[in-house]
Amino acid sequence: EHLVCGEHVWIGENAIVDASGGVEIGEHTTIGTGVFVWSHTSVLSSLLGQNQPGNPWIRRAPTRIGKHSFIGGPSVINPGVTIGERCVILPMSVVTADVPDGTMVGGAPATFRRHIDADWIERERRKFAAE
């Protein structure tokens, strides 16, 4: 009930989308195989020894993934993160902070790799067409 998906969203096999704190996924976005998208964390409840149901130490925060984005699997998107439009998350990444529109990130934790602009997309399209 807390999951909002745009049209033509593809969610791969073995992906986990935890929408307990709210998840929005924009249109024409791919969530790759084995990706984990989280909108809650119970770390503090475990550390405090209060991991019983209904404890007050579970943090929920909406997680957003913008339209025309690609999340390569297996990657992890932490709770409360916003990934902008036309972003690429490289495989095996752990996204712990917001990602601005038109950005490629990768690694654990994910860091900036490059800007994605119309020229870059066109170069990639031409490479694909040449194969």
Side-chain angles (χ1 to χ4, degrees), residues 16-49:
I16 295 175
V17 179
D18 157 45
S20 64
V23 171
E24 295 178 24
I25 303 171
E27 64 188 38
H28 297 277
T29 288
T30 294
I31 307 295
T33 302
V35 169
F36 293 171
V37 179
W38 297 109
S39 66
H40 90 282
T41 180
S42 58
V43 170
L44 193 54
S45 63
S46 293
L47 294 174
L48 293 171

Side-chain angles (χ1 to χ4, degrees), residues 60-98:
R60 298 186 195 288
T63 303
R64 296 177 177 89
I65 302 170
K67 64 184 180 179
H68 307 275
S69 290
F70 179 88
I71 315 299
S75 291
V76 176
I77 313 302
N78 279 2
V81 166
T82 296
I83 296 172
E85 296 181 6
R86 287 199 199 289
C87 290
V88 173
I89 310 302
L90 295 172
M92 305 295 287
S93 296
V94 178
V95 182
T96 60
D98 292 352

Side-chain angles (χ1 to χ4, degrees), residues 107-121:
T111 57
F112 175 83
R113 300 302 168 101
R114 69 170 307 116
H115 292 290
I116 298 173
D117 58 16
D119 291 338
W120 185 85
I121 293 171

